[in-house]
Amino acid sequence: MEINGEQVTQILRYDQLNLSPQVMRAIQKRGFSEATPIQSGAIPPFLAWRDVIAKAPTGTGKTFAFGIPMVEHTDPAVEEVQGLVLAPTRELALQIQDELRDLCEFKEGVRTVCLYGGAPIDKQIQTLKKRPQIVVATPGRLMDHMKRRTVRLDRVQTVVLDEADRMLDMGFIHDVTRILDQMKGRKNMGLFSATISREVMDISWVYQRDPVEITVQAVADNKPDIQQYRISVERGEKAELTAKLLEAGGYERAIAFCNTKNMADRLTGLLQMRGIQADCIHGDIQQRVREKTLARFRQGKLRVLVATDVAARGLDIDDVDVVFNYDVPDENEYYVHRIGRTGRARRHGAAYTMVSTITEEMRLDEIQRGTRNEIRKLRYAEGTLLEEE
């Protein structure tokens, strides 16, 4: 880990961070004792009201890194919004709220709300009337509430942009800057992301003051343990191969990624025809249905979750056995975040990418060079998997 360009190796325990008894009790209830590198680096300056810009691999505990200081700074006696977290997707926003709720469990009087599109705004307005102190939101829906004057941000002390690069890549930069401009009196700001793009740095230059810069590299201690394979297969045999790999590996929890909504629907149907419990999530499925599907997957009632890249980031699912890239992803970054759904929490994981055309071969070659991942070559022919030289 680097802090302001200097290498730091010390990893702290939570009881070394001078946290309140209420927050310590919530952390201990989760069974945690040692902070992750990003938490060790970010929590002390954030607690001291410093601005932070943090880069760390997916699955390394960024939510607690900003959530613990935010909860500690929240005054239950002040019934106005004091902390704001912006997230690029509804799924990520909901996961952040869940973790913040856990941290607030023993801090009586601290309330949270999650504001996101695709859900009835009237219900969110009713929740806002209960005067929550912490708001987690997607930028578009938060702008809707601001226009309706159902939420006020003038008393916000801490604001965090989570998955900042993804949020700005999705075209939210104008909404984000408008929102930030409403919080003139904020005390500190955090930018947390897996990559730090030019757009993220632009936000930092304009809105942060002398930020503490933290970088956690994907080294052996925090890099997921994922065995990666690329399989040459005829396009019409991909579903059959997926089913055979599930059985051969004894995988109980799998995510299969497709590039399009139509392919996600099609693969779900092909797996269901083979007697495999599968369902899908993508942008055309109603939010309430997506949430039910995710809940079933977390509860172990679904064996395979089929998804477009809407699910590649931000889902708090840390015990997936295997990831299938049914389609080769369009971007190197998508590949990293897709396979990052497995091999988390120091578990062993596997990722299979299926290749059917020369174009896909070239795309995966580029991904392998760009991500510096070792991807073993296999070939599927006549119902048999063979390892290529």
Side-chain angles (χ1 to χ4, degrees):
M1 174 176 62
E2 290 184 1
I3 299 179
N4 290 336
E6 295 186 9
Q7 194 70 30
V8 177
T9 57
Q10 183 184 17
I11 303 301
L12 302 174
R13 299 189 313 274
Y14 289 111
D15 58 14
Q16 295 175 295
L17 295 171
N18 298 317
L19 304 180
S20 67
Q22 295 90 341
V23 170
M24 277 300 301
R25 186 178 174 192
I27 293 170
Q28 289 166 352
K29 184 176 179 180
R30 292 282 296 268
F32 301 147
S33 59
E34 185 176 271
T36 66
I38 190 62
Q39 293 163 5
S40 296
I43 289 174
F46 226 47
L47 279 173
W49 296 105
R50 294 286 304 278
D51 286 344
V52 168
I53 180 167
K55 174 185 173 182
T58 299
T60 51
K62 292 193 289 289
T63 304
F64 267 29
F66 63 76
I68 288 173
M70 183 174 285
V71 171
E72 290 284 22
H73 286 155
T74 302
D75 184 350
V78 177
E79 294 190 333
E80 293 175 294
V81 180
Q82 301 167 48
L84 171 67
V85 183
L86 293 176
T89 66
R90 293 167 285 195
E91 288 78 14
L92 179 55
L94 287 164
Q95 294 304 325
I96 293 169
Q97 187 198 26
D98 286 343
E99 294 207 37
L100 292 179
R101 276 179 173 168
D102 287 345
L103 288 171
C104 294
E105 182 176 359
F106 303 106
K107 192 164 182 177
E108 189 174 350
V110 177
R111 295 174 294 279
T112 66
V113 65
C114 190
L115 309 176
Y116 54 90
I121 198 166
D122 291 342
K123 289 185 178 180
Q124 295 175 0
I125 291 172
Q126 291 302 313
T127 305
L128 286 166
K129 288 180 179 179
K130 297 177 182 178
R131 312 298 294 273
Q133 295 95 344
I134 298 176
V135 171
V136 184
T138 55
R141 179 48 64 95
L142 182 58
M143 287 292 294
D144 290 342
H145 281 284
M146 290 167 63
K147 290 173 184 175
R148 292 168 180 255
R149 299 187 178 182
T150 51
V151 64
R152 291 184 58 178
L153 304 177
D154 53 306
R155 294 292 297 274
V156 169
Q157 302 179 100
T158 298
V159 59
V160 169
L161 274 59
D162 194 21
E163 298 288 10
D165 58 336
R166 177 69 164 160
M167 186 152 43
L168 301 178
D169 286 346
M170 290 171 67
F172 287 124
I173 188 163
H174 295 299
D175 285 346
V176 168
T177 55
R178 289 190 190 103
I179 291 166
L180 294 176
D181 288 341
Q182 298 297 311
M183 297 175 286
K184 303 293 186 183
R186 70 180 182 278
K187 293 184 178 179
N188 66 336
M189 176 179 175
L191 295 173
F192 287 77
S193 196
T195 61
I196 303 298
S197 64
R198 174 59 188 269
E199 290 77 12
V200 174
M201 290 307 302
D202 287 344
I203 292 289
S204 176
W205 292 333
V206 174
Y207 292 98
Q208 290 188 310
R209 300 173 300 278
D210 189 26
V212 177
E213 297 185 29
I214 301 162
T215 301
V216 176
Q217 301 293 346
V219 295
D221 288 341
N222 55 55
K223 188 173 183 179
D225 177 16
I226 305 169
Q227 186 67 58
Q228 299 170 56
Y229 302 92
R230 56 190 294 168
I231 305 177
S232 298
V233 57
E234 295 295 325
R235 181 169 295 278
E237 297 181 336
K238 283 187 176 183
E240 175 189 347
L241 173 58
T242 302
K244 287 198 172 186
L245 288 170
L246 280 169
E247 296 307 318
Y251 301 123
E252 294 300 322
R253 291 165 63 82
I255 299 181
F257 285 105
C258 300
N259 287 351
T260 66
K261 302 166 189 175
N262 287 339
M263 186 57 74
D265 288 332
R266 184 179 175 189
L267 174 58
T268 300
L270 290 170
L271 293 175
Q272 291 172 345
M273 286 172 56
R274 289 168 168 78
I276 296 169
Q277 291 177 313
D279 210 338
C280 65
I281 60 171
H282 55 64
D284 282 351
I285 295 174
Q286 291 183 351
Q287 180 64 22
R288 61 179 180 81
V289 178
R290 288 160 67 179
E291 290 172 14
K292 287 182 180 178
T293 300
L294 289 170
R296 289 169 60 210
F297 185 66
R298 290 192 187 94
Q299 294 163 5
K301 296 178 181 178
L302 279 181
R303 188 174 185 184
V304 182
L305 177 67
V306 182
T308 54
D309 284 292
V310 70
R313 296 178 74 157
L315 296 184
D316 186 21
I317 302 171
D318 60 6
D319 55 353
V320 174
D321 300 323
V322 62
V323 166
F324 297 104
N325 286 313
Y326 197 78
D327 296 319
V328 178
D330 294 327
E331 304 287 342
N332 294 12
E333 186 180 354
Y334 290 172
Y335 179 84
V336 172
H337 289 292
R338 285 182 181 189
I339 70 169
R341 297 301 97 204
T342 187
R344 304 186 80 176
R346 306 201 177 191
R347 294 183 176 92
H348 176 73
Y352 298 90
T353 300
M354 301 180 191
V355 179
S356 300
T357 66
I358 295 296
T359 302
E360 289 177 333
E361 287 276 4
M362 294 171 63
R363 177 83 274 276
L364 191 54
D365 286 342
E366 182 183 336
I367 289 171
Q368 184 165 357
R369 288 193 299 270
T371 62
R372 298 181 181 179
N373 283 308
E374 181 184 352
I375 308 177
R376 294 171 58 188
K377 288 186 177 183
L378 304 174
R379 175 172 292 279
Y380 183 72
E382 299 180 356
T384 303
L385 266 179
L386 302 172
E387 185 158 3
E388 293 186 353
E389 294 298 329

